[in-house]
Amino acid sequence: MMISIIEGDITTQKVDAIVNAANSSLLGGGGVDGAIHRKAGPELVHECRLLGGCRTGEAKITGGYLLPAKYVIHTVGPVWNGGTMNEDALLASCYRNSFAIAREKGLRSIAFPAISTGIYRFPVERAANIVRDETLAFMKNPGSVSDIRFICFGRETCDIYRDVLADLTSDHEDIDH
Ligand code: APR
């Protein structure tokens, strides 16, 4: 199992699936959602429209269209509300459900952004610990998945991820923007 933390833009990742930090409409937005839709082209939102939205913590898969990734797994993270609104469990289920779709689909490689830690304001270190727990759990039954990447957009997130996930990563690299 290859686990890597990469500083860069998830839309450039040539993997079977990239995960999108979407909103419940699945019709695009800002942040990584906006970047993914811009790169994928208009076919992506056309397919998303057929999905009827997505609940927080859930995940749904679509084609990748003009992206180098074959698929996009859209998941909706929780908005941070101080930690008393089940945010930890909802964020954990974003990762668990995205991993499960990759395994069910027989994918080999998957790349995640730091879900909920941007516009949704989830604290990065707390999120990274949830990522670590869910990745360890998934590794007990990874199916076809052998390449897991965490794509951090910015040094601060990258440093926190590298610290929290140090014992899991067999490799990490810097990608020049
Ligand atoms: N590649 C990788 N990571 C990115 C990229 C990119 N191109 N662009 C942004 N990010 C990072 C952000 O820096 C942050 O660390 O993705 C992480 C998640 O931030 P957001 O994209 O703001 O997502 P989130 O906090 O989950 O908020 C979701 O924002 O874009 C809207 O429609 C989306 O309403 C939803 C909300």
Side-chain angles (χ1 to χ4, degrees):
M1 176 66 76
M2 169 87 163
I3 297 177
S4 40
I5 293 168
I6 299 169
E7 183 174 358
D9 173 356
I10 198 166
T11 66
T12 66
Q13 288 293 312
K14 195 167 169 36
V15 289
D16 286 341
I18 59 172
V19 176
N20 181 21
N23 61 59
S24 53
S25 75
L26 292 186
L27 299 180
V32 71
D33 194 6
I36 287 173
H37 276 273
R38 270 194 302 281
K39 196 79 168 277
E43 294 296 309
L44 179 58
V45 77
H46 294 160
E47 183 176 357
C48 286
R49 241 183 230 117
L50 307 175
L51 297 176
C54 185
R55 285 203 307 259
T56 301
E58 303 286 309
K60 294 187 177 180
I61 191 166
T62 66
Y65 299 102
L66 302 178
L67 285 159
K70 284 198 205 92
Y71 299 100
V72 180
I73 295 174
H74 306 262
T75 191
V76 181
V79 176
W80 179 252
N81 264 304
T84 60
M85 310 281 281
N86 209 25
E87 295 98 319
D88 290 355
L90 286 167
L91 185 61
S93 64
C94 286
Y95 287 91
R96 199 164 48 253
N97 287 326
S98 299
F99 274 132
I101 290 176
R103 182 175 50 216
E104 281 147 32
K105 201 88 183 163
L107 306 186
R108 278 173 297 97
S109 53
I110 183 169
F112 290 90
I115 302 164
S116 276
T117 66
I119 293 166
Y120 284 0
R121 300 188 330 282
F122 200 109
V124 182
E125 184 156 357
R126 191 177 178 122
N129 278 285
I130 291 167
V131 172
R132 185 177 183 283
D133 293 345
E134 290 307 317
T135 304
L136 278 170
F138 177 68
M139 284 165 72
K140 294 191 179 79
N141 175 23
S144 54
V145 177
S146 61
D147 178 352
I148 300 172
R149 307 180 192 186
F150 297 105
I151 315 302
C152 302
F153 203 63
R155 192 84 217 173
E156 192 208 339
T157 300
C158 211
D159 290 347
I160 292 170
Y161 264 60
R162 286 198 171 139
D163 180 43
V164 172
L165 287 119
D167 57 330
L168 295 191
T169 52
S170 39
D171 178 31
H172 54 71
E173 62 196 51
D174 276 315
I175 287 191
D176 296 329
H177 290 294

